[in-house]
Amino acid sequence: MKEIENKYLPIIEILEDKIFLESIKSEYKGFITANNPNISNVRVLFIGINPGDGTFKELNPKYNSQKDHIDKVNYPKRLFSNSEHSQIDWLKNGNARGEKINKIWHAYKWFETDKKINNTFVKRMIEFFKSFYEINNNSNFAEIENKINSEIFYWNLYPIATKTTKELDNILKKIVLRRISLNSKNIANKSDLKNFFRQRTIDLIESIQPEVIICLGNQAFKELTNSNVKLHLEDNTKSFDVKFRIKSDKTYKVYNISRKGNWEKKIIKLGQELREL
């Protein structure tokens, strides 16, 4: 993992440059690779596009209300090399479910499914766990947590955190203008830069050897597999055998979950089908 993260260092150096940071301050929300414990016995690898602004908000709780008066903004830089995650972010108290009552934040546990939803995306990932691990009200939640934290890995193609993918795209365009060299290759355009990030994800896949890969969204699937295949609804439960590198004979089963509309039923169904891995 350290070898993979070291390849990001030129990118991090640019993002932390004061002049460059000033040019992206309305979009940039940190650099995050570590979303879960660093495990090797991976049953399911989830692939997303990029981290959101949740960690940034935690570090800067007054940012939105006092944006023009903050002297110092704290940008999260959370790597496997500088953090010790004991649980996947989705299980964190208050992530899936939580609410303010009388101006006091109440963070609920992930399995308190009768509580108010805080983050719909995370709530749907919990629904996958419930389906995949056959969780019910009588389950041993501590035991289930241990399984999730030792078998599930979540990774983003682009570790650059933003609120939207449009903001991510803007940052990538500005990085390209720096005419840098990454992994001994000159970055001439955005396609070169995106391929650099894709290769780091493939490095991870080859390192942890997941049993299956689930892409969270059509964009994540197409960019990971480098494919222009037209995806249909039935593809949500169809696996694609993907070979990522020419010199390797290894193929991986890759699924895609379209995040258009209400995709909760799709991910629950996929959890049921993958249960017998």
Side-chain angles (χ1 to χ4, degrees):
M1 184 61 69
K2 186 176 181 181
E3 183 178 351
I4 296 172
E5 289 184 332
N6 281 344
K7 292 180 180 179
Y8 289 129
L9 293 180
I11 296 288
I12 294 174
E13 185 177 344
I14 290 173
L15 294 170
E16 293 181 344
D17 176 80
K18 289 183 179 180
I19 296 175
F20 190 83
L21 187 57
E22 182 67 22
S23 73
I24 61 170
K25 66 179 181 181
S26 63
E27 301 145 331
Y28 182 59
K29 298 295 183 288
F31 195 94
I32 299 170
T33 58
N35 299 293
N36 43 253
N38 189 6
I39 59 175
S40 55
N41 183 31
V42 179
R43 293 185 69 188
V44 182
L45 168 64
F46 286 98
I47 299 289
I49 288 294
N50 75 312
D53 60 349
T55 304
F56 178 86
K57 287 180 178 178
E58 289 180 11
L59 289 179
N60 304 277
K62 297 181 180 180
Y63 181 80
N64 289 329
S65 59
Q66 301 180 15
K67 193 172 182 179
D68 297 330
H69 306 288
I70 292 180
D71 294 325
K72 183 180 180 182
V73 177
N74 296 306
Y75 294 98
K77 185 170 70 174
R78 196 175 71 195
L79 310 176
F80 283 102
S81 56
N82 68 8
S83 64
E84 295 182 3
H85 256 41
S86 60
Q87 68 173 177
I88 194 167
D89 277 357
W90 297 329
L91 298 185
K92 185 178 178 181
N93 290 351
N95 203 343
R97 296 176 185 271
E99 61 182 323
K100 273 190 176 181
I101 301 177
N102 297 325
K103 297 184 179 181
I104 298 175
W105 175 248
H106 293 261
Y108 304 124
K109 295 185 180 299
W110 62 270
F111 52 79
E112 295 184 274
T113 54
D114 59 332
K115 303 298 185 182
K116 187 173 181 179
I117 297 170
N118 174 49
N119 186 314
T120 303
F121 169 76
V122 179
K123 185 259 186 184
R124 288 172 178 165
M125 300 315 301
I126 298 302
E127 291 299 322
F128 173 86
F129 294 150
K130 287 168 61 180
S131 174
F132 186 62
Y133 290 105
E134 293 187 277
I135 300 170
N136 56 50
N137 291 335
N138 297 318
S139 295
N140 183 327
F141 296 117
E143 183 179 298
I144 296 294
E145 282 189 21
N146 287 336
K147 282 187 176 182
I148 293 171
N149 288 321
S150 62
E151 297 177 346
I152 306 294
F153 205 108
Y154 179 40
W155 181 266
N156 287 293
L157 281 162
Y158 308 97
I160 300 170
T162 61
K163 190 174 181 178
T164 67
T165 53
K166 183 178 180 180
E167 291 177 343
L168 170 66
D169 197 55
N170 290 338
I171 293 174
L172 295 180
K173 290 176 181 177
K174 290 177 181 178
I175 292 175
V176 169
L177 294 176
R178 297 295 292 260
R179 299 294 180 182
I180 59 174
S181 176
L182 294 170
N183 207 32
S184 301
K185 294 182 179 179
N186 293 328
I187 303 301
N189 50 52
K190 195 172 70 170
S191 293
D192 289 345
L193 181 58
K194 294 181 83 169
N195 184 58
F196 164 79
F197 284 107
R198 176 177 178 266
Q199 294 303 323
R200 303 296 71 75
T201 298
I202 296 172
D203 287 343
L204 173 86
I205 291 169
E206 292 188 340
S207 173
I208 64 176
Q209 298 281 307
E211 293 182 22
V212 298
I213 299 169
I214 301 176
C215 293
L216 295 171
N218 295 342
Q219 184 181 353
F221 177 85
K222 290 180 179 180
E223 294 199 15
L224 174 65
T225 60
N226 201 21
S227 167
N228 290 319
V229 62
K230 187 172 182 179
L231 297 167
H232 303 282
L233 287 176
E234 59 268 22
D235 292 338
N236 285 287
T237 54
K238 173 186 175 183
S239 67
F240 296 82
D241 292 325
V242 179
K243 179 181 175 182
F244 289 109
R245 285 183 172 146
I246 296 174
K247 294 182 179 180
S248 174
D249 294 328
K250 175 76 174 179
T251 60
Y252 297 86
K253 287 194 175 300
V254 182
Y255 293 83
N256 173 61
I257 287 292
S258 172
R259 291 178 59 185
K260 293 182 179 180
N262 186 347
W263 46 278
E264 187 165 307
K265 289 182 180 179
K266 300 173 188 175
I267 201 158
I268 290 173
K269 183 179 180 182
L270 184 56
Q272 293 170 341
E273 295 193 6
L274 296 180
R275 190 181 295 159
E276 301 303 323
L277 280 177

